Amino acid sequence: MPATYEPIGAIKVLGSAVSNITFSSIPTNYTDLILVCNIYPNTNSSNMRMTYNSDSGSNYSVTYLGGNGSTPESGRASNQTSMDMAYLGSNTWGNVIIQIQNYSNATTSKTAISRSNGSSVLTALYVGLWRSNAAINSITLTSSQGSNIAVDSTFSLYGIKAA
Amino acid sequence: MSIKSIKTGWTGISALAGNPVLGDFESIATVSVGAGGSSTITFSSIPSTYKHLQIRMIQVSSSPNNAILARFNSDSGSNYSTHDTGGSGASTYSEGLTNRTYVPFGYTGATYVAPSICDILDYADTNKYKTVRTIGGNDANGLTRYAVFQSGNWRNTAAITSITLTHGAAVNFAEHSHFALYGIRG
């Protein structure tokens, strides 16, 4: 059987906090992408938002299920300019694993699942949609609510290829 | 490939716990649904040489918000139990079901493809019942769809050699649905 699950690239924030990170020129020869993130919002609790291919149009939507420590919650947002993929606590390490499936086909919309643990605010499952059939060749993650992504935050991108 | 990031320069391989070593994760088989659709997806003759299995799928159909139903080794008896919790974007639910004839493997999508990732642990161990877990759901830009966690148990110690998936509303999986089975070594 063909081995797969290969590292494509990795980013670690050095020097000073940044507002976003981007993986570009993503090869098209995999079936799925997995993005593993360890993130520290440096000011306020923050949504981590994702866009593809520098598309800033209102072409994204998301549905999520979460638990905040006392009650379960669910929400959705349509016609957004990005997809929330996590809600992370301020000055706290959070982890996020995003699965982007069939990212390189040109026949379907693109969907992603994110499992996020904002250890002080929310553990959640997000299902995101990009209403585009284009192959994904770049991914940008942006912090929100006035927070930046702190030094030592890491982002690792993997590819999985179906036989 | 080029990796660009503001104020970053690190390009080494992640040392985060749990990252696999190339060779631990292998593609076993893939089903791509063509024009006309398919009512059943079957992975058969699954080798017993892995520790765990994972099925990664996108699927679309004419009927959203139904569970995808999985059976092992063609067992249609009431030998399965399940728990799941989900959110519709407006409310949440949780349920447990016993003596079922299937375990759930995600929620079906319509209009836009729906993703699911299903893990089957120790599938070839003949000393224990088999347990599975799934994350999945669907988003359809404002329509009622679900994000779900699901778990299941098959009360059988046999090694899993085949997996059959059907749509909870007994309709076809439509063209462009894609199901991929992987083996994880341990």
Side-chain angles (χ1 to χ4, degrees):
Chain A
M1 305 296 178
T4 183
Y5 211 133
E6 301 178 12
I8 297 174
I11 294 170
K12 183 175 184 178
V13 178
L14 301 174
S16 60
V18 299
S19 61
N20 63 79
I21 68 98
T22 296
F23 289 92
S24 60
S25 302
I26 297 169
T28 60
N29 57 313
Y30 298 99
T31 306
D32 300 338
L33 299 174
I34 299 175
L35 182 53
V36 180
C37 316
N38 192 224
I39 307 173
Y40 191 95
N42 72 346
T43 306
N44 304 307
S45 295
S46 168
N47 290 104
M48 191 188 73
R49 294 175 171 154
M50 184 166 72
T51 57
Y52 302 130
N53 296 7
S54 303
D55 178 11
S56 58
S58 300
N59 300 315
Y60 303 90
S61 53
V62 68
T63 299
Y64 81 93
L65 166 68
N68 60 19
S70 58
T71 57
E73 62 183 69
S74 181
R76 81 168 73 92
S78 56
N79 298 315
Q80 300 293 296
T81 57
S82 64
M83 295 174 287
D84 289 348
M85 287 282 104
Y87 184 59
L88 305 175
S90 61
N91 297 307
T92 306
W93 286 103
N95 61 68
V96 187
I97 300 177
I98 304 171
Q99 318 265 351
I100 305 168
Q101 292 175 244
N102 295 73
Y103 74 101
S104 61
N105 76 42
T107 54
T108 70
S109 55
K110 301 301 178 297
T111 186
I113 306 177
S114 172
R115 267 287 292 115
S116 65
N117 299 303
S119 53
S120 63
V121 289
L122 188 73
T123 183
L125 173 70
Y126 291 78
V127 180
L129 170 69
W130 182 41
R131 299 190 308 282
S132 172
N133 288 1
I136 294 168
N137 55 48
S138 73
I139 300 168
T140 298
L141 297 175
T142 305
S143 190
S144 66
Q145 280 101 331
S147 265
N148 283 327
I149 302 167
V151 168
D152 289 330
S153 297
T154 60
F155 304 83
S156 302
L157 183 66
Y158 300 88
I160 292 180
K161 183 174 179 57
Chain B
M1 63 173 291
S2 65
I3 302 294
K4 297 180 180 178
S5 172
I6 300 169
K7 297 178 182 177
T8 65
W10 188 64
T11 56
I13 303 304
S14 170
L16 295 172
N19 286 344
V21 175
L22 182 62
D24 291 345
F25 198 93
E26 296 182 2
S27 175
I28 298 174
T30 302
V31 177
S32 296
V33 178
S38 179
S39 62
T40 303
I41 307 297
T42 300
F43 294 104
S44 58
S45 302
I46 298 169
S48 61
T49 49
Y50 300 97
K51 180 70 171 172
H52 311 298
L53 300 174
Q54 184 174 90
I55 295 178
R56 306 173 63 86
M57 69 179 84
I58 59 170
Q59 42 74 31
V60 65
S61 71
S62 61
S63 183
N65 301 335
N66 294 277
I68 296 169
L69 312 180
R71 288 176 175 162
F72 305 125
N73 297 4
S74 302
D75 179 10
S76 59
S78 300
N79 300 316
Y80 306 85
S81 55
T82 74
H83 279 86
D84 64 291
T85 185
S88 68
S91 62
T92 62
Y93 76 91
S94 179
E95 66 180 0
L97 301 170
T98 58
N99 299 320
R100 300 286 107 179
T101 58
Y102 57 83
V103 289
F105 262 31
Y107 252 38
T108 61
T111 313
Y112 300 101
V113 295
S116 297
I117 299 171
C118 317
D119 293 302
I120 307 167
L121 306 184
D122 289 337
Y123 73 102
D125 190 328
T126 56
N127 294 311
K128 61 175 71 171
Y129 292 166
K130 306 303 181 292
T131 55
V132 305
R133 67 169 192 173
T134 296
I135 57 172
N138 188 209
D139 181 88
N141 194 37
L143 301 176
T144 297
R145 297 289 193 269
Y146 288 83
V148 295
F149 291 100
Q150 298 164 318
S151 62
N153 172 265
W154 180 42
R155 297 189 304 279
N156 194 310
T157 58
I160 293 173
T161 57
S162 73
I163 302 168
T164 303
L165 306 177
T166 56
H167 193 294
V171 301
N172 281 356
F173 296 110
E175 184 180 19
H176 304 308
S177 297
H178 184 272
F179 304 80
L181 174 67
Y182 298 89
I184 303 169
R185 296 195 183 279

